Amino acid sequence: DTGVSQDPRHKITKRGQNVTFRCDPISEHNRLYWYRQTLGQGPEFLTYFQNEAQLEKSRLLSDRFSAERPKGSFSTLEIQRTEQGDSAMYLCASSLTSVETQYFGPGTRLLVL
Amino acid sequence: EDQVTQSPEALRLQEGESSSLNCSYTVSGLRGLFWYRQDPGKGPEFLFTLYSAGEEKEKERLKATLTKKESFLHITAPKPEDSATYLCAVVNFNKFYFGSGTKLNVKP
């Protein structure tokens, strides 16, 4: 399978704990995006990478959130000191260029108790 | 303000009853419009890309069209397996803007 993969698929954590999600994009794609999606809403942009450079971060991405893409391959999204409001589906997508189709992974569903 | 609005929010159809979903946008510098299908608990699945007004794309029972201000996703003779949320997204320069989706339920 050469699609976008995400790990883990589900994560349950207690408030205040740190969590880290991983995304492996389609291998030749330079762009990698992170989104957050809550029930009944469309995906909300969080941040994106062009190769290893993080080029833009949404206002939604508070200082508790950090993302990396070392060597322009896989990416990680870390949430520190999780809050109940962080409960959501976290989606990763990749594309060849800025205007090409984004292909999404299956998502990581986070539940903060 | 850049915005994407989808209507209706929810749509219930009988199997075989054709209909259309709407996506209207106010985005400066539109570079492309995308339709995705999303099943519960899964990531969005790509359906179509449209780049210019007048463009149309078809796939099985689905047909997407684009004007300067909106796009339609026409569903002809839908089947229960077409039940899903359909998301519209537009891109300008570097960012994708998603609508909230239309939740389609097709009853047998």
Side-chain angles (χ1 to χ4, degrees):
Chain A
D1 184 27
T2 57
V4 178
S5 62
Q6 292 186 246
D7 184 70
R9 294 292 308 279
H10 304 274
K11 180 71 177 179
I12 299 174
T13 191
K14 293 182 179 179
R15 189 177 54 184
Q17 297 294 306
N18 299 343
V19 295
T20 300
F21 309 142
R22 176 180 171 126
C23 170
D24 287 90
I26 294 171
S27 59
E28 63 268 27
H29 284 184
N30 297 320
R31 292 236 168 179
L32 186 148
Y33 301 79
W34 284 100
Y35 292 87
R36 182 172 69 186
Q37 186 176 29
T38 53
L39 201 61
Q41 299 298 314
E44 295 175 291
F45 169 79
L46 292 178
T47 188
Y48 83 91
F49 293 83
Q50 170 76 29
N51 298 314
E52 66 273 13
Q54 187 175 16
L55 298 185
E56 187 171 348
K57 293 194 291 186
S58 163
R59 290 190 301 271
L60 292 174
L61 215 65
S62 75
D63 55 7
R64 297 185 297 106
F65 288 71
S66 62
E68 295 182 341
R69 192 183 181 194
K71 301 179 182 178
S73 56
F74 70 92
S75 176
T76 58
L77 178 68
E78 181 183 15
I79 309 174
Q80 295 182 327
R81 306 181 302 281
T82 52
E83 302 173 355
Q84 288 183 327
D86 297 330
S87 296
M89 172 81 91
Y90 290 84
L91 293 164
C92 174
S94 70
S95 67
L96 272 172
T97 68
S98 62
V99 296
E100 294 284 337
T101 301
Q102 292 188 11
Y103 293 92
F104 283 82
T108 294
R109 181 167 295 281
L110 172 66
L111 177 60
V112 181
L113 301 176
Chain B
E1 180 184 348
D2 295 330
Q3 194 169 347
V4 178
T5 304
Q6 291 189 246
S7 62
E9 290 185 6
L11 182 62
R12 298 181 69 176
L13 298 174
Q14 285 297 127
E15 184 173 1
E17 180 185 2
S18 302
S19 187
S20 297
L21 282 54
N22 177 263
C23 170
S24 62
Y25 57 89
T26 54
V27 173
S28 56
L30 178 75
R31 304 289 294 276
L33 185 141
F34 304 81
W35 283 98
Y36 291 85
R37 169 191 171 129
Q38 187 172 28
D39 293 302
K42 297 187 177 181
E45 175 189 346
F46 169 69
L47 293 174
F48 301 110
T49 305
L50 302 167
Y51 288 110
S52 57
E55 192 174 356
E56 299 182 350
K57 293 276 181 72
E58 282 189 73
K59 179 181 178 181
E60 295 180 356
R61 296 177 292 281
L62 301 177
K63 179 180 177 180
T65 62
L66 180 63
T67 71
K68 287 187 178 180
K69 293 186 178 181
E70 59 190 349
S71 176
F72 291 93
L73 184 66
H74 307 279
I75 303 177
T76 302
K79 298 181 178 181
E81 53 262 41
D82 294 321
S83 297
T85 295
Y86 291 85
L87 294 166
C88 166
V90 299
V91 61
N92 72 338
F93 307 110
N94 293 316
K95 287 175 65 175
F96 268 48
Y97 298 88
F98 278 87
S100 296
T102 293
K103 187 173 183 179
L104 174 66
N105 187 7
V106 182
K107 294 285 192 182

